[in-house]
């Protein structure tokens, strides 16, 4: 691993004398590490927090920087063009991932654990990590470097944003057993803790203030800590009043998701996964 880190440092600073074979070998080694889930852009630190592997994110950026545009077409009619450092993802039935036919794409460098289900059309970008039993529903996006836990449901049209830049920034993290409702958007390093539920249409960014009606607190990101949705929180879309004279005059409000409750048996019943489908 240390050799790989050093390789990408040298390549990135353009200070190297590697021949083409060595460059290609190291790139394959790196992509293989991402594809098998051995290399991750962020991982649990064992103490309940996450550590960002900045060098992995930087190395992905380097693949874009040093790559040249290449023809990746499947045939004469099915044409694609991408950087030659980011070839098509190697996939086989042995991966035990269900990719239902029709319009989905998984970019190389994304890890999909056995038992993941992909409903068409959906897209999973480089550096993403999707753990066992998770379902990515139709029209969903899992952006670059995003980390998604076990038995998560990313519902139809939900957008999980990708963050590659800056390299040190935490990617979006969704922990085990989370339910992300249809049409949600999770961006800019927001973290969703275990078993939380996002009701349909909740949008979370680094600027979003979330009002916890149960504990009567306001959750928001700080310069050194992105927004975190607590374990088992049930978040639904909400608004708050804009209390400037102008805001009052026109009755304006601004989007402000609410923690309406913490997960109970009713929530479990409505969000439980149907294992017959899996
Ligand atoms: C969040 C959700 C799971 C409901 O959870 P729940 O624990 O059953 O919530 P409850 O029905 O007990 O609702 C609690 C309160 O929140 C409100 N509420 C619940 N979900 C809400 C939502 N999505 N938007 C606005 N308010 C909502 C209820 O009206 C209720 O308000 P009240 O206390 O004033 O009566 C559900 O609303 C939801 O959004 N599911 C996602 C569906 C989806 O996207 N499926 C994807 C298929 S691909």
């Amino acid at each position: 691993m240390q050799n790989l880190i050093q390789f990408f440092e040298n390549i990135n600073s353009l200070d190297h004398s590697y021949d083409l074979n060595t460059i290609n070998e190291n790139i394959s080694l790196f992509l293989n590490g991402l594809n098998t889930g051995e290399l991750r852009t962020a991982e649990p630190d064992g103490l309940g927090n996450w550590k960002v592997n900045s060098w992995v994110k930087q190395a992905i950026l380097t693949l874009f920087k040093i790559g040249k545009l290449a023809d990746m077409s499947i045939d004469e009619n099915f044409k694609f063009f991408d950087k030659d450092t980011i070839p098509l993802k190697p996939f086989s039935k042995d991966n035990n991932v269900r990719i239902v036919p029709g319009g989905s794409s998984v970019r190389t460098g994304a890890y999909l654990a056995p038992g993941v289900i992909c409903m068409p059309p959906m897209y999973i970008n480089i550096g993403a990590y999707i753990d066992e039993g998770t379902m990515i529903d139709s029209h969903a996006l899992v952006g670059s470097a995003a980390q998604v836990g076990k038995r998560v449901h990313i519902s139809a049209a939900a957008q999980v944003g990708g963050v590659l830049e800056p390299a040190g920034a935490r990617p979006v993290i969704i922990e085990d057993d989370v339910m992300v409702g249809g049409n949600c958007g999770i961006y800019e390093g927001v973290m969703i803790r275990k078993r939380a539920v996002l009701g349909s249409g909740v949008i979370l960014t680094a600027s979003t203030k979330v009002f916890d009606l149960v504990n009567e607190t306001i959750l928001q990101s700080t310069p050194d800590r992105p927004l975190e949705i607590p374990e088992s929180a049930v978040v639904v879309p909400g608004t708050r009043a804009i209390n400037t004279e102008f805001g009052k005059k026109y009755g304006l409000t601004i989007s402000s998701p609410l923690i309406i409750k913490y997960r109970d048996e009713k929530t479990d019943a409505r969000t439980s996964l149907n294992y017959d489908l899996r």
Side-chain angles (χ1 to χ4, degrees):
M1 168 113 83
Q2 207 50 46
N3 289 348
L4 211 49
I5 296 175
Q6 193 58 56
F7 166 81
F8 276 103
E9 254 174 42
N10 295 342
I11 282 275
N12 198 44
S13 61
L14 302 174
D15 169 25
H16 69 86
S17 51
Y18 299 119
D19 59 31
L20 200 58
N21 265 352
T22 313
I23 293 176
N24 287 340
E25 269 168 29
N26 278 288
I27 290 176
S28 307
L29 211 59
F30 176 66
L31 285 175
N32 187 53
L34 290 176
N35 280 321
T36 55
E38 283 154 55
L39 294 178
R40 296 179 67 169
T41 56
E43 59 194 311
D45 68 358
L47 302 166
N49 282 313
W50 286 72
K51 73 176 172 85
V52 179
N53 297 321
S54 308
W55 81 268
V56 176
K57 291 182 76 188
Q58 183 58 56
I60 294 173
L61 291 170
T62 303
L63 292 182
F64 287 93
K65 178 171 153 182
I66 63 170
K68 298 203 170 43
L69 197 62
D71 190 333
M72 306 258 178
S73 303
I74 308 294
D75 61 34
E76 266 311 292
N77 297 315
F78 212 25
K79 296 211 167 251
F80 299 100
F81 309 93
D82 200 358
K83 296 282 178 125
D84 58 0
T85 42
I86 305 168
L88 294 182
K89 181 174 173 69
F91 242 139
S92 80
K93 191 162 141 290
D94 297 339
N95 291 111
N96 201 16
V97 169
R98 195 140 67 86
I99 303 188
V100 176
S104 293
S105 189
V106 181
R107 207 173 194 187
T108 197
Y111 170 69
L112 279 66
V116 167
I117 301 176
C118 304
M119 298 303 292
M122 56 103 242
Y123 188 76
I124 300 174
N125 208 345
I126 190 167
Y129 184 103
I130 321 259
D131 217 335
E132 288 164 28
T134 283
M135 179 185 270
I136 315 294
D137 230 317
S138 300
H139 290 284
L141 163 74
V142 181
S144 47
Q147 305 290 300
V148 181
K150 295 183 171 65
R151 299 169 301 275
V152 172
H153 187 171
I154 309 282
S155 299
Q159 307 291 297
V160 178
V163 187
L164 280 175
E165 297 167 288
R170 195 173 78 181
V172 170
I173 296 171
I174 300 177
E175 293 190 338
D176 297 348
D177 300 295
V178 165
M179 154 78 178
V180 177
N183 273 303
C184 286
I186 311 167
Y187 306 103
E188 296 185 318
V190 170
M191 161 133 64
I192 317 292
R193 290 290 195 176
K194 284 180 192 143
R195 289 175 46 76
V197 174
L198 302 187
S200 320
V202 169
I203 308 283
L204 301 170
T205 75
S207 301
T208 311
K209 284 185 184 162
V210 177
F211 287 70
D212 182 338
L213 299 179
V214 179
N215 296 310
E216 302 194 343
T217 50
I218 301 171
L219 308 175
Q220 59 188 316
S221 59
T222 60
D224 53 353
R225 207 174 165 86
L227 174 67
E228 251 181 66
I229 299 301
E231 189 169 331
S232 298
V234 177
V235 189
V236 298
T239 56
R240 63 190 152 95
I242 295 179
N243 285 323
T244 61
E245 281 313 309
F246 186 77
K248 281 193 220 158
K249 181 174 171 193
Y250 291 100
L252 301 179
T253 61
I254 191 167
S255 156
S256 197
L258 309 173
I259 296 180
I260 194 85
K261 64 193 274 193
Y262 281 75
R263 202 169 166 137
D264 59 18
E265 284 170 9
K266 182 160 173 279
T267 325
D268 287 346
R270 284 183 69 182
T271 59
S272 67
L273 299 177
N274 183 343
Y275 285 97
D276 291 344
L277 288 173
R278 279 159 174 82

